[in-house]
C-alpha cells in the first residue's frame, strides 16, 4: 500500500526549465558539452586548418588572415574555454574516481574551482593570443 501512495505523489512530467541543478551537475553537463564540441567540431576543424596551412604558403597566409578577424578570434577563444574546461573538469572527475573530494562540500568547492580556473585561464590565454 505504501508503494501505491508514493507512486501517486510523483509528478506526471518534469518541467526542465524549473529544475535547478546544483553546481557539480552544471560542471558535469558543461564537461560533456565541451567534450562533444571539441570532438565533433574543434578537432576536425583544426586538423583541416593545419592540413591546409601546411600544404602551401597561400593556404597559410589565407588562414592567418582569417584568424585575424575579431569574430573568428572570439570563436577560437570559445573553443579554448571548451578545451580548458574539459581538461580541468577531467582532472576533477579523475580525483572523484579516486574517491578524493566526494563529500558534498568538497564536490561543491571543486566545482567552483573548475569554473574559476577554466574561466581565468581562458581570459589569460585569450588576452595573450588576441
Amino acid at each position: 500500500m505504501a508503494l501505491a501512495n508514493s507512486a501517486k505523489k510523483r509528478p506526471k512530467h518534469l518541467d526542465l526549465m524549473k529544475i535547478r541543478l546544483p553546481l557539480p551537475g552544471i560542471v558535469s553537463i558543461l564537461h560533456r558539452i565541451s567534450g562533444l564540441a571539441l570532438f565533433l567540431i574543434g578537432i576536425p576543424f583544426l586538423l583541416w586548418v593545419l592540413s591546409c596551412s601546411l600544404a602551401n604558403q597561400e593556404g597559410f597566409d589565407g588562414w592567418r588572415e582569417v584568424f585575424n578577424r575579431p569574430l573568428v578570434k572570439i570563436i577560437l577563444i570559445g573553443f579554448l574555454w571548451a578545451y580548458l574546461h574539459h581538461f580541468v573538469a577531467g582532472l576533477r572527475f579523475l580525483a572523484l574516481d579516486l574517491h578524493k573530494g566526494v563529500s558534498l562540500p568538497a564536490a561543491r568547492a571543486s566545482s567552483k574551482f573548475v569554473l574559476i580556473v577554466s574561466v581565468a585561464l581562458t581570459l589569460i590565454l585569450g588576452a595573450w593570443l588576441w
Side-chain angles (χ1 to χ4, degrees):
M1 186 68 184
L3 286 175
N5 288 338
S6 66
K8 291 180 183 178
K9 294 179 184 177
R10 295 183 64 181
K12 297 184 189 237
H13 67 85
L14 294 175
D15 188 358
L16 296 177
M17 296 299 130
K18 291 184 180 179
I19 294 175
R20 186 169 178 266
L21 279 176
L23 193 58
I26 293 170
V27 168
S28 177
I29 289 174
L30 287 175
H31 179 73
R32 293 174 185 191
I33 292 171
S34 64
L36 186 68
L38 289 171
F39 183 74
L40 293 179
I41 301 168
I43 293 172
F45 175 71
L46 290 177
L47 286 174
W48 177 60
V49 168
L50 180 65
S51 173
C52 292
S53 67
L54 292 177
N56 54 33
Q57 184 65 36
E58 292 81 23
F60 177 79
D61 292 336
W63 281 110
R64 185 167 46 170
E65 184 179 315
V66 168
F67 286 148
N68 282 331
R69 296 179 185 161
L71 181 61
V72 175
K73 286 184 180 183
I74 291 172
I75 292 169
L76 289 176
I77 289 174
F79 277 107
L80 177 66
W81 171 84
Y83 172 75
L84 291 170
H85 176 80
H86 195 76
F87 180 76
V88 176
L91 292 177
R92 175 184 179 265
F93 288 124
L94 182 63
L96 290 174
D97 287 343
L98 296 172
H99 303 288
K100 305 291 181 195
V102 292
S103 67
L104 186 58
R108 286 182 178 158
S110 65
S111 297
K112 288 178 187 175
F113 178 78
V114 164
L115 291 175
I116 290 169
V117 167
S118 64
V119 169
L121 286 174
T122 302
L123 291 174
I124 292 167
L125 291 174
W128 181 65
L129 292 174
W130 193 275

